[in-house]
Amino acid sequence: MSGLNRFTGRRLDPNSDEHLVQSIGDILSTPLNLRIGRRAYGSEIPDLIDQPLNARTRIRIFAATAMALQNFEPRVRLKRVQLLVSALGRASLQLDVIRTDRPRRTSATLSVSLRTA
């Protein structure tokens, strides 16, 4: 089985970090109740994108990330989440994870852009 890059159509190794980042990005950027066959798929992050960037919103983003990955991405165990915001207002998440899909559990740091679907 192989994956595809959703933007270029190029093949992706399903065991690569690039495939994992794409999968996590899809989960986090998909609003809940958007997919007809899988209403629970996605996260609350798209609802939080336009909220004021204060401590409460940050905590809600961290919680939404943890819940969504626990429910829909069995290949990782989340260790840490950092919200990075650029001067232009673009946000991304830096995730420190443990890959559970490999023979030896390895740590990885992944950067996922926050965009609405």
Side-chain angles (χ1 to χ4, degrees), residues 10-82:
R10 175 174 68 83
R11 286 189 185 268
L12 289 177
D13 176 8
N15 296 319
S16 70
D17 285 347
E18 187 178 0
H19 187 273
L20 183 62
V21 167
Q22 178 174 286
S23 175
I24 290 171
D26 184 65
I27 292 166
L28 298 180
S29 65
T30 300
L32 294 172
N33 295 318
L34 183 71
R35 303 239 171 123
I36 294 172
R38 297 181 71 190
R39 293 283 184 194
Y41 181 84
S43 76
E44 295 178 0
I45 290 178
D47 297 331
L48 300 172
I49 293 291
D50 291 330
Q51 298 296 316
L53 193 57
N54 54 29
R56 182 175 181 210
T57 303
R58 285 179 183 269
I59 290 171
R60 290 179 67 194
I61 289 171
F62 298 154
T65 300
M67 289 173 34
L69 294 183
Q70 181 179 358
N71 290 333
F72 301 108
E73 190 48 79
R75 296 180 287 178
V76 298
R77 191 175 86 214
L78 194 59
K79 287 177 22 182
R80 188 175 107 171
V81 179
Q82 273 188 296

